[in-house]
Amino acid sequence: MTSESERAREEFFSEAQEIVEGLGRDLLALDEAQKAGHVDPDLINDVFRAVHTLKGLAGLFGATRMSSLSHKLEELLDDLRLGKVDVTAPVLDLLFLSVQLYGKLLQAEKEGRDQPMPELEKLLTQLDRGAGAGGTAGNGGHIIDPNLLAVLTEFEEHKLKTNIAQGNTLYRLKVRFQLATIDQGLDELKATAKPHGDIITYLPASDGDDIDSITLEILMGSRASAATLRNALHHLGVEVEELPRQGGGPAPAPAPAVSTPVQAHHIPTPTPSPPPVAPSHVPSAMPPLGHMPLDMTAPHAFPAPRLDAGASIPPKAQELGTIKSVAQTVRVDIQKLDVLMNIVGELSIVRTELERLLEKMRDAHTNRELRINLHRLQRDFERNVISLRRGILEVRMVPLGQVFDKLARVARQISREAGKQVNLVITGAETEVDKLIVEELSDPLMHMMRNAIDHGIEEREMREAVSKPAVGTIALNAFQKGNHVVIEIEDDGKGIDTERLLEKGIRMGVVQADEARTMSRREVLNLIFVPGLSTKSAVSEISGRGVGMDVVKTNISKLGGVIDVQSEPGIGTKFTVTLPITLAIISALIVKVSDQQFAIPLANVQEAVWLDAEAVRVIDGREAVTLRGSTLQLCYLARLFGLSDTPDAGGTGPFGSGFDMSPMSQAPGVPPRGSLRSESIRQDYAAAAFPYRPASSSSPSARTALAPRQKRRFIVVTAVGTRRLGLVVDSLVGEQDVVIKGLGPSLKNVAGFAGATQLADQRIALVLDAPALVEEMFAHADRARMHGGTHGF
Amino acid sequence: MASNLARRTTSAVLPAAAGTKRKKAQRDRGPITEYLAFRLAGDVYAAPVSIIREILKLHPLTPVPRAPASIMGIISVRGQLVTVIDLRRRLRLSEGPVTSKARILLVDPMGVELLGLYVDEVLQVYRLADSEIEHTATALGGEVASYIAGIARPAQAQASPQEGKGVALKSVGVVRQNASVIILLDLKVVLSS
């Protein structure tokens, strides 16, 4: 379906994305280097190149805003590599901001949005100023008459910059020409000077006192030493003067090769410089001096006297060496992987079918040899399907480092804003997780990072007062644990004030006063995930750990993960997020409700017990049982979904047994049974007040009070965070690994389902969205608060 | 397996495949569009063949609780989930029992989602010239009017051009039929409502 241009656009986005991410990494390194006080010019050059590539890409795809941002950045970076502007914290801020904006611009571009972006305009102006302010910082250490600079044309200025960038020495030549023969004289001078360097500009000198002659001042950049030049130009009567440099100026060079002549210019080097002794990486075909054509690329190929012969190759030479990509990787659209996964799903069904056929053959009197052969074939097939599935899953995996890099940027920014010094320690960045999970995880992690810095880490004075190191530490750890990945965000801050948290909980009615006395510390800590406690106003009142933590929790639950918190006053707080490695395949419990099958993700299932109808009590209009000493609210799926309460009611018609005939045979105009019924039931549930109180009377637990009955039903205990809900189903079919497929846009407004999956018997089972169901059941009491203050994201 | 009806029938319109007589007729009647006619609640409706990807026999269908009434459920077409819409209900027509003639048309009119449309029976492909279509459906008034792209009264004598490709259509149960009035549906409007 995708046309050629669409594919090219996709390529553009993934490539641009990759560059922007790389840029972010480079900036972090630059930031480190700046703090350490030693900036590697190569690093600046990398950043420059990334921006330059982005500019090219953006231009190619008509992304004008990206182009103009890149253009401005390029100017700033050019100044940085020329040493006109120093690498300082404010400059880095601008660069970091740019990376952030690139992300936004890409997003906007992808969605075809074209709204004005005020922050972009602001940044562009800042960049203008940033670049302009540095203009006087120096010209690579050369002292150039400002009057001279003022009269240079843009092209000449460019030539000057190029010469400086290449580390050439600047010379001022002075020569007197007879007015009558000035053309000839100039030509001769140009011809003679050309092999040695680049004439940047000539200007009439003010001290021409002769009416028949004129003195020209010539600005020239050259690799050659002053002596060489003097020798070469002597016969034309040219005075050669080297432009003085400021001592100890910043290395202006993009590459180490360039910085060498700067150091070398005090020591007149022998002429012409022979190719350096060892550097095998320098292009070998060196024309002798004097025949060297001086074009744009020449100075790079030119073996300057190198004091550091082992340093890296000039970028140009490297590029010319090979155009092969270094990375042995292929970028893949995740949708393509979904297609492959789909095929694997189909193959799994074929596999099951094969198994069934083989089973049949065993009973019938078929050729034994044939049967054995077929059996072997089936086993091979099975093995291959399994490894194919594993292979595709592996392709979807990306290292967490992708999101950790972004987090490091966020941490840097937040700590600057908050005026706190924070040291971020990352381990396990190489741990791999499903790409989709990484994407969904970035916002919750960012939130936790922000909380850790804003509210966890104390002010410097406070830390010093309790003799903690002034610089706070946040550890970001990731590791694999079986089929799960664990991510920890740990700070050495002040910890969560549980007393105030509890106080707040009681005040908000989330916790009953008598209940509070028996709550464990852990239970109290878990209150920060309760929506009511994470409103903005609560932040300043309690420890402040609350901002949007309920949203964080919900989002992590959606990924089938869990979040846990530990905190010690004065020592710190640790959030632990445990996630499944992949979303594409989940383990699910298949259940039956009035002859329709549903899948419940095992990540949300705590246990399944028999339902004892006698033990069901109605509390505040809600049905509940007591399970292991605590009350469990029940949700009858058959009623919620408007399915017939008696199993096996589904008819068999031309649609097959899976098709429920009843809505079809209804008279026109009669509202469909399903939606109306479920609507009224939802109201029934909603009418009941929440929170419920733990029952003081203890009834026998559902598991123990089982009387053998004809039609037993089951409670599947679903847990999402601290909330539990008992889903009442007719029967349990079993556990199965299922491939989840999303429902189409036409069903996006249907709540309660996370998708659907094809079971081995070809039937489709809807996958229950357990968090959504739990939320729906508990929503009534919370709704007001939920909408009050948790728009954290 | 259902055939890729759309592609095959489109190729029939190419001049190369048409006889000289038909070419002449085409010139007389103006540009010709192919429509697939199907029965819904006793009436004959049609939609452009170009948007119909496939005609499927009824699959085992999984109803989706809490979905809008006009959504019958979901089916799996070679591993892809497809939502099936009951066109009768969407158009607020009367409903009859499901028979073995019922089919699901796979369409993607908006280019965002592949949908299945339940119809009572697939009839035939009509080649209709613009001149045969009455576009003034507004005369009907009411809500229905917005769904209707036009009304066609194909000439009774029109020879079905589908003889050559009969195999494909027969395999999915196409019945040739001369209807007096065909209601041409604007599926984009129907499905976005």
Side-chain angles (χ1 to χ4, degrees):
Chain A
M1 284 286 278
T2 50
S3 70
E4 199 64 35
S5 66
E6 274 170 2
R7 207 172 307 144
R9 242 174 90 80
E10 273 307 314
E11 262 304 293
F12 159 59
F13 283 120
S14 52
E15 190 167 350
Q17 187 65 49
E18 210 164 76
I19 296 171
V20 171
E21 276 168 17
L23 189 59
R25 271 195 298 278
D26 286 346
L27 286 183
L28 279 174
L30 200 58
D31 188 48
E32 286 295 326
Q34 188 258 331
K35 279 186 194 145
H38 174 78
V39 177
D40 183 357
D42 261 348
L43 208 50
I44 302 181
N45 214 32
D46 284 347
V47 173
F48 179 84
R49 266 211 299 261
V51 170
H52 185 76
T53 314
L54 277 175
K55 184 171 114 173
L57 271 178
L60 215 58
F61 283 87
T64 40
R65 285 186 295 184
M66 249 180 84
S67 295
S68 50
L69 174 58
S70 308
H71 185 73
K72 279 271 156 35
L73 268 182
E74 216 181 71
E75 278 173 13
L76 171 62
L77 288 166
D78 206 26
D79 287 349
L80 275 179
R81 35 178 217 173
L82 296 184
K84 280 192 192 175
V85 174
D86 285 334
V87 183
T88 55
V91 169
L92 277 169
D93 285 346
L94 279 181
L95 294 176
F96 275 108
L97 191 59
S98 307
V99 170
Q100 216 178 322
L101 269 178
Y102 268 130
K104 281 189 187 163
L105 282 172
L106 274 176
Q107 193 68 33
E109 197 66 39
K110 185 147 197 168
E111 291 164 13
R113 278 186 287 125
D114 204 11
Q115 309 147 331
M117 216 180 259
E119 61 252 79
L120 177 67
E121 303 306 321
K122 200 175 148 211
L123 178 68
L124 288 179
T125 350
Q126 280 176 310
L127 281 175
D128 266 339
R129 244 180 289 132
T136 51
N139 281 289
H142 289 274
I143 298 164
I144 298 170
D145 186 357
N147 293 329
L148 176 70
L149 281 177
V151 296
L152 288 183
T153 66
E154 208 177 333
F155 176 61
E156 287 163 343
E157 201 177 357
H158 174 77
K159 278 206 285 188
L160 176 66
K161 273 189 193 168
T162 314
N163 269 290
I164 295 169
Q166 287 161 4
N168 292 345
T169 315
L170 294 182
Y171 294 100
R172 184 163 57 197
L173 314 182
K174 240 184 185 172
V175 61
R176 179 177 290 243
F177 289 110
Q178 292 302 311
L179 276 180
T181 57
I182 186 167
D183 288 349
Q184 273 175 28
L186 261 181
D187 284 348
E188 200 177 344
L189 175 66
K190 273 194 225 167
T192 324
K194 189 149 194 200
H196 299 282
D198 197 3
I199 291 177
I200 295 159
T201 186
Y202 11 89
L203 301 159
S206 46
D207 57 345
D209 43 14
D210 194 329
I211 41 163
D212 290 323
S213 64
I214 186 166
T215 306
L216 286 187
E217 264 191 39
I218 296 168
L219 192 61
M220 180 174 169
S222 173
R223 296 235 150 192
S225 69
T228 321
L229 274 184
R230 268 186 208 112
N231 272 338
L233 300 173
H234 174 74
H235 65 282
L236 296 171
V238 180
E239 277 178 55
V240 177
E241 188 193 339
E242 199 174 312
L243 276 188
R245 292 189 196 215
Q246 290 162 327
V258 177
S259 65
T260 315
V262 180
Q263 297 159 315
H265 95 274
H266 293 295
I267 319 141
T269 37
T271 44
S273 51
V277 194
S280 54
H281 50 266
V282 169
S284 53
M286 272 305 139
L289 251 193
H291 301 285
M292 188 77 190
L294 272 180
D295 57 21
M296 286 301 282
T297 55
H300 288 287
F302 205 99
R306 296 171 68 120
L307 301 179
D308 50 346
S312 70
I313 318 150
K316 206 81 180 190
Q318 202 173 28
E319 279 163 22
L320 287 177
T322 175
I323 54 167
K324 268 200 288 187
S325 162
V326 185
Q328 292 287 315
T329 53
V330 179
R331 269 197 298 262
V332 189
D333 187 337
I334 204 149
Q335 279 176 356
K336 286 184 187 166
L337 292 180
D338 280 345
V339 171
L340 289 181
M341 193 47 102
N342 219 345
I343 297 170
V344 172
E346 293 286 289
L347 285 177
S348 304
I349 292 166
V350 174
R351 186 191 77 188
T352 318
E353 193 63 16
L354 266 174
E355 236 166 52
R356 207 177 53 83
L357 276 177
L358 270 167
E359 201 56 41
K360 257 189 180 172
M361 281 171 80
R362 195 163 304 166
D363 301 337
H365 295 283
T366 30
N367 184 328
R368 188 169 172 273
E369 201 184 336
L370 182 72
R371 209 174 62 209
I372 290 170
N373 281 338
L374 197 59
H375 186 68
R376 202 164 44 223
L377 212 61
Q378 191 264 345
R379 289 249 295 274
D380 276 355
F381 184 73
E382 179 169 348
R383 202 167 43 240
N384 282 317
V385 168
I386 290 171
S387 45
L388 183 58
R389 187 165 91 171
R390 196 180 304 132
I392 294 170
L393 281 181
E394 264 166 34
V395 175
R396 294 171 64 107
M397 297 293 184
V398 293
L400 273 169
Q402 280 191 3
V403 68
F404 283 4
D405 284 342
K406 288 183 201 161
L407 277 182
R409 283 209 304 276
V410 169
R412 181 188 178 275
Q413 189 190 338
I414 298 168
S415 56
R416 282 181 68 86
E417 281 169 11
K420 291 175 184 170
Q421 274 186 291
V422 172
N423 188 16
L424 186 65
V425 183
I426 296 179
T427 61
E430 71 286 347
T431 313
E432 293 195 321
V433 190
D434 191 306
K435 168 83 175 163
L436 283 181
I437 296 186
V438 169
E439 289 302 311
E440 292 303 312
L441 203 57
S442 53
D443 283 346
L445 286 182
M446 192 180 82
H447 249 71
M448 286 189 272
M449 180 62 77
R450 179 176 277 282
N451 280 352
I453 299 170
D454 271 354
H455 313 302
I457 304 286
E458 313 89 328
E459 305 291 333
R460 194 191 179 96
E461 298 76 36
M462 267 179 75
R463 292 184 68 89
E464 277 164 349
V466 294
S467 60
K468 273 188 189 182
V471 176
T473 300
I474 294 177
L476 190 57
N477 306 321
F479 53 91
Q480 194 173 336
K481 195 172 153 191
N483 270 333
H484 286 82
V485 163
V486 180
I487 301 172
E488 298 170 340
I489 294 188
E490 186 175 8
D491 65 59
D492 66 345
K494 58 180 170 277
I496 297 172
D497 187 340
T498 44
E499 266 169 47
R500 300 191 68 178
L501 193 62
L502 191 58
E503 210 175 280
K504 178 86 183 168
I506 294 169
R507 201 159 2 115
M508 298 202 55
V510 181
V511 184
Q512 302 305 310
D514 53 344
E515 199 184 349
R517 280 193 295 277
T518 59
M519 273 174 91
S520 67
R521 183 178 161 76
R522 194 185 163 82
E523 280 171 323
V524 177
L525 278 175
N526 271 315
L527 285 175
I528 70 164
F529 298 117
V530 174
L533 284 166
S534 59
T535 54
K536 267 262 189 286
S537 63
V539 173
S540 50
E541 291 179 47
I542 51 169
S543 74
R545 272 287 190 173
V547 192
M549 280 314 289
D550 59 318
V551 184
V552 168
K553 173 138 208 164
T554 312
N555 285 14
I556 286 169
S557 303
K558 274 187 195 154
L559 296 171
V562 288
I563 180 167
D564 193 33
V565 56
Q566 288 165 273
S567 185
E568 288 302 323
I571 293 173
T573 305
K574 176 156 112 181
F575 282 94
T576 309
V577 178
T578 310
L579 290 157
I581 282 180
T582 181
L583 283 184
I585 293 186
I586 59 155
S587 297
L589 177 68
I590 314 292
V591 300
K592 252 187 190 171
V593 181
S594 62
D595 212 35
Q596 202 176 330
Q597 296 190 27
F598 294 93
I600 309 173
L602 268 187
N604 300 119
V605 175
Q606 266 188 347
E607 61 179 323
V609 296
W610 277 324
L611 169 70
D612 176 17
E614 320 262 285
V616 177
R617 284 157 301 110
V618 179
I619 303 167
D620 274 350
R622 299 192 165 207
E623 282 152 297
V625 292
T626 305
L627 183 63
R628 308 206 197 298
S630 66
T631 304
L632 179 71
Q633 191 187 334
L634 296 181
C635 167
Y636 290 80
L637 283 184
R639 266 194 259 158
L640 181 71
F641 293 158
L643 301 170
S644 156
D645 238 345
T646 46
D648 305 311
T652 33
F655 277 112
S657 57
F659 184 68
D660 184 1
M661 286 285 292
S662 36
M664 303 287 305
S665 46
Q666 266 170 355
V670 175
R673 195 179 58 149
S675 51
L676 233 211
R677 276 264 305 264
S678 60
E679 194 61 46
S680 62
I681 286 158
R682 250 176 287 169
Q683 277 167 4
D684 286 348
Y685 275 116
F690 186 80
Y692 60 86
R693 277 165 212 90
S696 45
S697 65
S698 60
S699 74
S701 115
R703 191 193 279 276
T704 52
L706 281 168
R709 296 177 63 173
Q710 200 63 358
K711 203 188 79 188
R712 260 191 219 128
R713 287 196 279 190
F714 290 86
I715 305 172
V716 177
V717 182
T718 306
V720 175
T722 48
R723 289 172 169 176
R724 298 192 309 158
L725 184 69
L727 302 174
V728 179
V729 302
D730 290 333
S731 60
L732 308 177
V733 180
E735 283 179 34
Q736 203 173 315
D737 282 352
V738 298
V739 179
I740 296 195
K741 295 166 187 175
L743 299 174
S746 53
L747 290 169
K748 69 169 189 292
N749 291 327
V750 182
F753 304 106
T757 184
Q758 206 163 356
L759 299 177
D761 61 356
Q762 306 263 13
R763 299 265 217 99
I764 297 170
L766 289 157
V767 180
L768 297 187
D769 183 351
L773 283 178
V774 171
E775 191 182 312
E776 186 178 321
M777 291 297 113
F778 285 67
H780 189 64
D782 298 336
R783 190 159 292 147
R785 271 173 289 163
M786 277 296 284
H787 288 267
T790 55
H791 296 291
F793 287 105
Chain B
M1 258 314 132
S3 62
N4 191 337
L5 182 105
R7 195 168 299 158
R8 290 194 201 184
T9 46
T10 325
S11 66
V13 225
L14 294 173
T20 30
K21 264 185 200 164
R22 198 176 299 154
K23 256 191 207 164
K24 188 163 178 283
Q26 203 166 315
R27 262 201 305 278
D28 295 345
R29 293 192 292 159
I32 284 182
T33 315
E34 288 186 308
Y35 286 90
L36 180 75
F38 45 85
R39 196 190 302 281
L40 279 180
D43 287 321
V44 179
Y45 291 80
V49 160
S50 57
I51 66 158
I52 295 166
R53 296 252 203 102
E54 254 179 85
I55 301 174
L56 303 175
K57 288 199 175 178
L58 294 190
H59 273 50
L61 198 141
T62 305
V64 180
R66 315 168 120 193
S70 63
I71 290 179
M72 289 175 117
I74 48 179
I75 54 170
S76 164
V77 181
R78 289 180 296 279
Q80 190 184 357
L81 295 183
V82 175
T83 306
V84 179
I85 289 170
D86 188 344
L87 263 190
R88 299 171 305 186
R89 223 168 242 201
R90 193 51 76 88
L91 300 175
R92 295 173 201 237
L93 305 170
S94 64
E95 291 163 38
V98 173
T99 69
S100 60
K101 289 176 177 174
R103 292 290 180 272
I104 292 170
L105 310 182
L106 277 193
V107 297
D108 187 3
M110 260 80 80
V112 288
E113 185 187 10
L114 192 62
L115 289 171
L117 301 180
Y118 170 90
V119 299
D120 284 331
E121 185 181 0
V122 169
L123 300 171
Q124 72 169 86
V125 173
Y126 282 101
R127 293 161 53 83
L128 296 175
D130 244 15
S131 58
E132 289 170 289
I133 300 171
E134 184 192 340
H135 288 285
T136 52
T138 39
L140 289 168
E143 195 184 358
V144 199
S146 60
Y147 296 151
I148 295 178
I151 307 267
R153 293 184 185 78
Q156 290 286 325
Q158 186 194 358
S160 168
Q162 293 307 313
E163 264 130 50
K165 293 152 293 284
V167 194
L169 292 175
K170 264 176 203 147
S171 71
V172 290
V174 170
V175 177
R176 205 162 292 135
Q177 140 128 15
N178 287 324
S180 52
V181 174
I182 300 170
I183 304 161
L184 306 182
L185 287 178
D186 185 342
L187 284 183
K188 271 191 193 173
V189 179
V190 174
L191 296 176
S192 60
S193 61

